[in-house]
Amino acid sequence: MSGDLFDKFGPLLTAFEGLVGNRTSPFGLRVDRVLSPTEAVIGGRDTILAGTFNYLGLTYDPECVRAAQESVARDGTGTTGSRIANGNYAIHSEVEAAMARFLGRRAAMLFTTGYQANLGILSTLVGPEDHVLLDADCHASIYDGLKMGTATVIRFRHNDVTDLDRRLERLAGDRGHKLIVVEGIYSMLGDRAPLKELVQVKREYGGYLLVDEAHSLGVLGERGRGLVEELGVLADADFIVGTFSKSLGGAGGFCVSDLPELDLVRYSSRPYIFTASPSPATIASTRQALRILSAGRELRARLRENFERLHAGLTALGYTLGASPSPVIAVVLGDRGEALQFWSRLLQRGVYVNLMLPPATPNGVSLIRCSVSAAHTLEQIDAVCAAFADLRAAAGSVAAKRGAAT
Ligand SMILES: Cc1ncc(COP(=O)(O)O)c(C=O)c1O
């Protein structure tokens, strides 16, 4: 074998250097100090955090912090074991039960991360005789879970129910199970799944529906139970997957179902078995966050007010946005270079957002992705808009100069 083990990374390195050069790299950016759910010091500068998925701003909630602190003092820093061995503490089972109750289901499983929840469920639930009908824009964790498993995967065009229908029709006569997999709010563009129509198709052909509500739990629905609740199809989702790392401000993942057989997955799911359970402190704060989330609508109402304000502000500035208002607001830019420059300039103006580039994005688009929190003040939302306005003005004057020169 000739060459170095790392030779294969050559093209990636060349592309990275060509794109980033000697600018601040957005990949692996270091946050010096976090000050609150919406502020941090980055590169020595006070910065508004507008790209963190901290939808309800609960990371510094005094009750959640206290629950975690008390748990560390009582239970120690980690479990040092899997849930099927010594790592199943009372608090893990309690959160599992609370999650099942909250979503009105009989069974729940808790995983160490949201990523592992998708790996653990999708690698195990469906077998070699089965077909998974997958929305093309689904998250990497869903793709990876299916890669670990044995089912045949058929992708349908993003949010295209007719395409799904057509693909299911072609499977008529096939005796294996069919599992449709979608997300509530999609993480890249912030758009929503047409769940009502998807449920109709599921009913017509039979099979199961799994919805990943990572970005909609605590965000949508009368009681914060996600897009399934908002669209009145909670009971039609056979499996709901989600994460504790966004609206709940912790870390961990879950799957709930009304099918009590979900429990069987525990005995064969490698991402559940062969990893340590989440730290008890993280789960204790998650338990408290779930209480807050389910207690009232105030945080959700504030979140909505904030994301509608940012969406309206950016629309008025003439930006092309990925979807109608949601807590994920994606600004579509021309290409990778323009998006990177935009990202750096926002950071220089004290605004942190996410830079999302192909191949991670749908249809090869380059995006600046903002995520809004209930903890943002109206002044912070306006400051984010003002930074975008500055960049718009700067781009306009460059274009005007170019026009005058031709
Ligand atoms: C749709 C979706 N599912 C799962 C995950 C993984 O969650 P976690 O980061 O908590 O592992 C994410 C993360 O962004 C996501 O967007």
Side-chain angles (χ1 to χ4, degrees):
M1 184 65 97
S2 66
D4 191 275
L5 184 62
F6 293 98
D7 280 356
K8 59 181 166 296
F9 296 108
L12 185 67
L13 184 63
T14 308
F16 181 81
E17 287 174 347
L19 181 67
V20 175
N22 52 13
R23 283 181 283 207
T24 309
S25 166
F27 311 105
L29 170 101
R30 199 184 76 175
V31 177
D32 301 328
R33 197 152 55 88
V34 181
L35 305 173
S36 76
T38 58
E39 297 153 303
V41 179
I42 300 179
R45 186 183 287 113
D46 282 350
T47 303
I48 298 174
L49 298 173
T52 65
F53 299 134
N54 198 349
Y55 294 128
L56 301 182
L58 291 179
T59 46
Y60 283 79
D61 177 87
E63 308 255 300
C64 295
V65 171
R66 190 169 336 112
Q69 285 169 336
E70 286 174 3
S71 170
V72 169
R74 191 183 52 239
D75 309 319
T77 53
T79 67
T80 71
S82 160
R83 290 205 65 207
I84 61 143
N86 60 298
N88 188 33
Y89 291 14
I91 188 73
H92 296 102
S93 304
E94 193 188 321
V95 165
E96 226 160 42
M99 214 66 222
R101 269 198 312 279
F102 179 58
L103 290 166
R105 299 304 147 103
R106 282 190 280 180
M109 274 180 77
L110 183 153
F111 293 84
T112 303
T113 65
Y115 180 82
Q116 283 163 297
N118 275 326
L119 293 193
I121 291 296
L122 290 163
S123 62
T124 314
L125 198 58
V126 271
E129 310 283 300
D130 303 330
H131 284 87
V132 174
L133 286 297
L134 173 69
D135 185 290
D137 279 9
C138 275
H139 190 256
S141 56
I142 294 176
Y143 277 91
D144 292 355
L146 291 169
K147 244 190 238 166
M148 283 176 74
T150 52
T152 303
V153 178
I154 299 176
R155 290 196 311 170
F156 62 94
R157 279 200 296 273
H158 176 52
N159 276 352
D160 187 336
V161 182
T162 312
D163 192 33
L164 171 65
D165 189 296
R166 200 167 30 234
R167 287 168 193 276
L168 277 166
E169 197 177 2
R170 278 191 214 138
L171 290 175
D174 176 272
R175 292 181 45 229
H177 299 292
K178 316 290 179 302
L179 175 68
I180 301 167
V181 179
V182 299
E183 293 177 25
I185 292 179
Y186 282 87
S187 60
M188 285 293 162
L189 295 175
D191 52 341
R192 297 160 194 227
L195 286 181
K196 278 189 177 170
E197 294 78 0
L198 289 165
V199 163
Q200 282 307 324
V201 173
K202 181 195 94 160
R203 284 198 188 132
E204 189 177 332
Y205 291 95
Y208 300 90
L209 174 66
L210 181 149
V211 185
D212 181 339
E213 293 269 29
H215 294 271
S216 12
L217 184 93
V219 166
L220 299 179
E222 179 62 23
R223 292 180 49 201
R225 294 187 290 179
L227 186 64
V228 283
E229 182 183 28
E230 181 150 304
L231 296 181
V233 295
L234 184 58
D236 297 284
D238 302 283
F239 303 95
I240 299 173
V241 174
T243 175
F244 301 156
S245 72
K246 303 189 192 304
S247 60
L248 292 164
F254 70 89
C255 176
V256 301
S257 177
D258 235 4
L259 304 168
E261 294 87 354
L262 181 68
D263 247 11
L264 298 173
V265 170
R266 288 183 209 275
Y267 307 110
S268 54
S269 173
R270 296 169 72 87
Y272 179 81
I273 297 169
F274 294 105
T275 196
S277 60
S279 90
T282 299
I283 296 305
S285 77
T286 298
R287 176 71 192 96
Q288 188 55 37
L290 186 58
R291 280 194 192 101
I292 294 170
L293 186 158
S294 38
R297 300 175 57 243
E298 195 192 316
L299 286 175
R300 273 189 298 289
R302 216 176 306 149
L303 173 62
R304 179 171 290 274
E305 187 184 353
N306 284 346
F307 72 66
E308 285 179 349
R309 189 178 183 95
L310 183 60
H311 194 278
L314 296 180
T315 305
L317 289 169
Y319 285 103
T320 304
L321 305 183
S324 54
S326 91
V328 178
I329 300 178
V331 179
V332 182
L333 291 170
D335 58 27
R336 287 181 172 89
E338 191 193 345
L340 173 62
Q341 197 169 52
F342 214 92
W343 179 88
S344 314
R345 289 186 172 161
L346 281 174
L347 198 60
Q348 284 159 13
R349 282 166 173 75
V351 175
Y352 172 76
V353 292
N354 303 133
L355 174 69
M356 305 306 300
L357 300 178
T361 52
N363 304 321
V365 288
S366 297
L367 302 171
I368 289 294
R369 185 177 65 184
C370 309
S371 54
V372 180
S373 173
H376 281 123
T377 61
L378 295 182
E379 290 73 25
Q380 286 175 327
I381 299 287
D382 292 346
V384 173
C385 276
F388 272 94
D390 279 357
L391 295 187
R392 196 81 185 156
S397 72
V398 170
K401 271 188 208 144
R402 265 200 223 116
T406 51

